[in-house]
Amino acid sequence: RNPHHQGPREEQSGEPFDGERIRVERHPRGAGYTDGAKMVFLDMNLQRHRMAMEVQVIVKDPKEIENIKQRETDITKERIHKILDTGVNVVLTTKGVDDLCMKYFVEAGVLCARRCNREDLRRLAKATGRKMVTTMADMEGNESFD
């Protein structure tokens, strides 16, 4: 059976359903099914924020290192919450999602699938009237998510 076939199909249980099915890799503890999906399609990595390699920080106190690591974690959490604040309950990305980011999605009850096929996501985005998001940067150089 062609996985890209349009129209009503039967699930593995044999019950007919009207919709589209794609192959995705999701976290084992994450949501596996959702009704009334509000989806976002990403073409970017969702990973822990790290300082750029060319940034040099001189640290005199070991506690400052912990403060830097905590700030990196906070930046990651802020980025994920910008996505969650839009009310989405399904996040599909063509690239990777690291464990910290996945943890925030799981806690929020959001189905998050990584390494999805780009063409599948483009097709779904077009069918739902959405667009693929490739960056969170806005015109002013800040991070935002609409």
Side-chain angles (χ1 to χ4, degrees):
R1 190 190 284 258
N2 183 350
H4 300 295
H5 172 73
Q6 302 278 333
R9 285 180 267 150
E10 293 185 5
E11 293 186 54
Q12 290 178 348
S13 66
E15 298 176 27
F17 82 104
D18 188 23
E20 201 55 43
R21 179 180 291 147
I22 61 171
R23 292 185 187 271
V24 297
E25 178 183 329
R26 67 175 182 82
H27 194 276
R29 292 185 315 181
Y33 175 83
T34 185
D35 273 330
K38 183 173 179 191
M39 299 187 281
V40 64
F41 307 99
L42 305 176
D43 190 14
M44 61 187 203
N45 277 317
L46 292 173
Q47 58 191 3
R48 179 186 296 249
H49 177 80
R50 302 229 187 251
M51 271 195 208
M53 292 299 289
E54 62 273 2
V55 173
Q56 232 180 12
V57 179
I58 299 171
V59 178
K60 295 180 182 177
D61 184 5
K63 291 180 182 175
E64 290 180 42
I65 294 173
E66 287 304 315
N67 290 341
I68 292 169
K69 287 182 180 180
Q70 184 60 46
R71 182 61 191 137
E72 288 176 344
T73 300
D74 292 343
I75 290 170
T76 302
K77 188 174 187 176
E78 290 166 9
R79 293 177 86 191
I80 298 303
H81 280 281
K82 285 178 184 175
I83 295 170
L84 295 174
D85 289 345
T86 63
V88 299
N89 57 6
V90 177
V91 176
L92 303 173
T93 183
T94 60
K95 299 192 178 166
V97 180
D98 80 356
D99 290 339
L100 180 66
C101 295
M102 189 62 79
K103 173 185 167 233
Y104 295 128
F105 288 123
V106 169
E107 288 173 353
V110 171
L111 187 151
C112 180
R114 56 190 169 206
R115 296 181 188 95
C116 299
N117 181 286
R118 182 175 281 118
E119 289 307 313
D120 285 347
L121 293 193
R122 283 192 181 140
R123 185 173 36 84
L124 283 171
K126 183 177 179 182
T128 58
R130 308 286 253 156
K131 292 187 178 185
M132 294 273 290
V133 178
T134 57
T135 181
M136 290 179 70
D138 60 16
M139 298 302 282
E140 289 83 41
N142 300 318
E143 285 191 339
S144 64
F145 196 86
D146 299 322

